[in-house]
Amino acid sequence: MSIEVLEGYMPVFPKPSYMVVGIPDAGLVGVIATEYLIEKLGLKEFATLYAPGLLPPISHVKGGIAKSPIKLYHGNNILVFHSWIAIPSEALYPISREIVKIAKKYGISTIISITGLPIEDRLNATTINAYWIGNSEEIAQEMEKFGLMKKFGDGYIAGPYAPLLIEAKKENINNFTIVVESFLDLPDPEASALALSILSKYIGFNISVDELMQEAEEIREKIKGLMAQTKAELPRYASGKPMTYA
């Protein structure tokens, strides 16, 4: 079962460059963030990923045109890996290896993932927290100096971003995950907005998350089908436990 990346062209990235990964999991925090990032920064699609036999037979239809639901976008020093389908558990390691392979090909300095940390009574939470999980001492020291997130501490991470941390480490590519408190099985644009605010400060670009907050209910309605598909995969990632657990 092979993975094929079809590139329309090959962009060139300045140094340092960053890959931002948004894959559906808890609260759809990562995929909402990357979708908003693509739109607001005007990132350009340059490649699609196909993995027959690994991924479900789902195409993403936009403007009447069916395409792979996994796409690559770029702009300035940012490469975005964006998936509109939940990745089946058996495909997580092959997809993670492909993400790292793409990062190496384009000379990416750091891979940044975005995920949710389901918490009890999220509906009534007036503030939410953000944490970091890194794959090296180097990135850990950088995150401590960065100071905008708490260290995750002890626990575990399961799902799409767990194997990516390991695969990136094997290839000596820095990778850290932004972990934001969120709903488990409801889309959480507010958590995505916090992740984007942190991301913009780390990379150094300007983006307003005001519209994301204002359009929260519209976004939830728009992607309820994706949440349903993702919800079906969640128990397979961690035997019914949350994706990230302290």
Side-chain angles (χ1 to χ4, degrees):
M1 293 181 284
S2 62
I3 299 175
E4 185 177 9
V5 179
L6 300 181
E7 295 159 311
Y9 58 92
M10 295 180 62
V12 176
F13 295 91
K15 295 290 186 180
S17 55
Y18 306 91
M19 173 187 274
V20 183
V21 181
I23 298 174
D25 65 347
L28 300 182
V29 178
V31 73
I32 293 173
T34 49
E35 178 76 6
Y36 191 80
L37 192 66
I38 291 163
E39 178 186 349
K40 296 305 176 184
L41 295 187
L43 303 185
K44 298 178 181 179
E45 178 187 325
F46 72 93
T48 52
L49 185 146
Y50 295 86
L54 279 176
L55 301 178
I58 298 174
S59 293
H60 184 219
V61 181
K62 190 169 185 178
I65 300 174
K67 302 181 74 172
S68 168
I70 301 180
K71 304 180 182 70
L72 301 174
Y73 299 81
H74 79 97
N76 195 20
N77 63 339
I78 300 173
L79 190 162
V80 170
F81 182 97
H82 181 70
S83 175
W84 264 109
I85 58 168
I87 308 296
S89 57
E90 60 271 17
L92 292 180
Y93 272 100
I95 294 295
S96 294
R97 284 191 286 269
E98 192 64 34
I99 291 172
V100 173
K101 182 179 175 181
I102 293 167
K104 288 188 67 176
K105 179 176 181 177
Y106 286 100
I108 297 298
S109 308
T110 303
I111 299 172
I112 306 167
S113 309
I114 300 172
T115 189
L117 169 61
I119 58 172
E120 292 184 10
D121 203 24
R122 167 68 183 91
L123 188 62
N124 295 314
T126 55
T127 60
I128 52 177
N129 297 304
Y131 304 86
W132 59 265
I133 300 173
N135 72 339
S136 68
E137 287 298 325
E138 178 185 350
I139 202 71
Q141 291 173 9
E142 185 178 355
M143 289 297 100
E144 292 285 7
K145 291 178 182 178
F146 184 47
L148 288 181
M149 296 178 283
K150 302 176 182 178
K151 179 168 64 176
F152 184 76
D154 297 333
Y156 75 83
I157 178 170
Y161 302 114
L164 181 55
L165 286 161
I166 303 303
E167 293 296 326
K169 173 67 174 177
K170 286 164 57 179
E171 297 297 333
N172 297 312
I173 297 178
N174 283 334
N175 177 204
F176 69 89
T177 303
I178 299 172
V179 183
V180 184
E181 292 177 337
S182 70
F183 292 109
L184 172 62
D185 52 8
L186 289 175
D188 201 330
E190 292 88 351
S192 301
L194 177 55
L196 281 171
S197 296
I198 293 168
L199 182 71
S200 66
K201 291 180 176 66
Y202 179 80
I203 295 179
F205 60 84
N206 293 318
I207 188 170
S208 171
V209 296
D210 292 345
E211 289 184 33
L212 182 56
M213 299 294 287
Q214 293 168 4
E215 299 168 3
E217 290 306 318
E218 180 181 334
I219 291 169
R220 288 190 179 100
E221 181 64 23
K222 177 183 176 182
I223 59 178
K224 62 183 180 181
L226 175 59
M227 188 74 257
Q229 191 234 346
T230 304
K231 188 176 179 180
E233 290 292 341
L234 294 180
R236 303 181 64 196
Y237 292 157
S239 302
K241 296 178 182 178
M243 299 304 92
T244 319
Y245 181 77

